[in-house]
């Protein structure tokens, strides 16, 4: 017999253990921390999850997640709506927003083309990107896709689709990460850094 | 501006990041995993947390957490109620239950005596232990406290308090963990293992 089989605690631990980065052990620790302070920790988190489940939706313009549709970025008149940064996931968008380096708007593809995983063009959220480009409001599309085979394939396909529209298509640079030392980098990154060399 | 400041997502990430073992990065990953599958993951977890907050309470007999009071262990007639294992935390009780090695019942102290942290005897959940011992239903008290200064102090204090009642008081053995090799063990454990030697 396990202590809480089928009980509230066992269910909480089981669901927590399915979170990325969590295992059975950390899920038990998290559950215990929540249960020993139910009013201060458990109830607020439950309410936050409920509110998120109720309110958060996919932005019909760019495809990110937000409590509003269009999202706060697409609805912001201060952002440059002529500059669209294409990313694979909402997590990538969050990373760029945290860095506060992109004043334009986004397009979240929701993944990459992948022959292996059977993801084709129809599985990517691109319709609203092409619509925005066709409408003439877009000046430049920045492809900020992962430096992977799938990311490169997707970038290539998007470039081909966008070229006839006359919009400027750029891609993010690849090379040595800032703060990184060369001897820990893989060959692919070193090659990209060398071929992307510029006058010092 | 941060993307979701004050929003539902930012609140969810912030509360998740306070869980033990979680940081801002893993909290964002967890929130994203939950938000991309709201019906399959977010809603069930929110409901599990609510149910736990509503139902889970401290057992008035042993001090563990359960949906029932007395808890499933204290209410189980199959368990040996004459054999009480004293542990520091609910997590310790869970560890023993997972190992399925204790057929008796428990007493969860909720901590240890600690001069440093200002925790005295009144801060420990011992009243129901002494009551059970006085009632004559307890045959043996096993002190399964941590092998720390605080654990040893607490064990010593409990032993002194329980000795006059005539109940048998034992403590768990200390030594080389099963599956462990000697060269990674600290001196204290090695000393305990040597002094706890038995005929081979």
């Amino acid at each position: 017999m396990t202590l809480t089989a089928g009980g509230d605690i066992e269910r909480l631990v089981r669901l927590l253990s399915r979170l990325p980065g969590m295992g059975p052990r950390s899920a038990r620790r998290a559950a215990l921390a929540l249960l020993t302070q139910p009013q201060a920790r458990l109830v607020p988190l439950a309410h936050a999850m409920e509110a998120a489940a109720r309110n958060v939706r996919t932005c019909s313009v760019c495809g990110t997640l937000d409590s509003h549709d269009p999202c706060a970025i697409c609805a912001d008149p201060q952002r440059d709506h002529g500059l669209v940064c294409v990313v694979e996931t909402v997590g990538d968008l969050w990373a760029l927003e945290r860095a506060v380096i992109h004043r334009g708007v986004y397009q979240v593809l929701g993944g990459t083309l992948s022959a292996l995983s059977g993801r084709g063009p129809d599985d990517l959220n691109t319709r609203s990107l092409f619509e925005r480009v066709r409408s003439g409001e877009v000046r430049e599309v920045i492809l900020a896709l992962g430096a992977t085979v799938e990311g490169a394939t997707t970038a290539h396909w998007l470039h081909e689709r966008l070229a006839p529209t006359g919009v400027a298509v750029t891609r993010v640079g690849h090379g040595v990460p800032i703060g990184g030392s060369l001897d820990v980098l893989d060959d692919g990154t070193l090659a990209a850094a060398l071929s992307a060399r510029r006058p010092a």
Side-chain angles (χ1 to χ4, degrees), chain A:
Chain A
M1 156 189 140
T2 56
L3 170 59
T4 49
D8 295 304
I9 300 179
E10 189 268 343
R11 183 153 163 261
L12 177 60
V13 170
R14 185 162 40 80
L15 290 171
L16 281 173
S17 71
R18 291 193 197 148
L19 291 178
M22 280 267 191
R25 194 185 188 85
S26 47
R28 284 194 298 267
R29 277 181 59 215
L32 212 44
L34 291 170
L35 287 166
T36 48
Q37 293 183 285
Q39 291 310 314
R41 305 186 68 170
L42 187 52
V43 172
L45 186 50
H47 287 178
M49 288 186 173
E50 268 188 3
R54 202 169 47 238
N55 300 331
V56 175
R57 62 208 69 193
T58 300
C59 174
S60 57
V61 181
C62 74
T64 194
L65 294 165
D66 197 13
S67 305
H68 305 279
D69 180 18
C71 71
I73 296 173
C74 287
D76 186 350
Q78 307 271 46
R79 313 274 308 210
D80 182 351
H81 291 255
L83 186 63
V84 179
C85 183
V86 179
V87 293
E88 292 175 16
T89 67
V90 175
D92 295 341
L93 182 156
W94 288 358
L96 285 164
E97 282 300 293
R98 280 198 305 281
V100 199
I101 44 174
H102 176 58
R103 337 163 357 262
V105 292
Y106 293 92
Q107 179 78 20
V108 180
L109 297 182
T112 52
L113 296 178
S114 169
L116 224 62
S117 311
R119 278 197 308 274
D122 291 345
D123 300 313
L124 300 186
N125 174 41
T126 55
R127 198 174 50 83
S128 58
L129 172 66
F130 295 133
E131 273 170 15
R132 285 195 272 175
V133 169
R134 266 197 302 271
S135 78
E137 72 179 280
V138 178
R139 195 173 67 250
E140 177 180 347
V141 173
I142 306 171
L143 303 177
L145 303 174
T148 60
V149 174
E150 281 92 354
T153 308
T154 310
H156 183 76
W157 174 78
L158 272 175
H159 194 179
E160 281 203 328
R161 287 288 312 269
L162 291 167
T165 66
V167 73
V169 180
T170 55
R171 66 164 183 81
V172 291
H174 299 308
V176 182
I178 304 302
S181 69
L182 265 68
D183 64 352
V184 297
L185 288 176
D186 60 292
D187 297 353
T189 303
L190 287 175
L194 266 189
S195 73
R197 67 189 179 279
R198 297 189 305 180

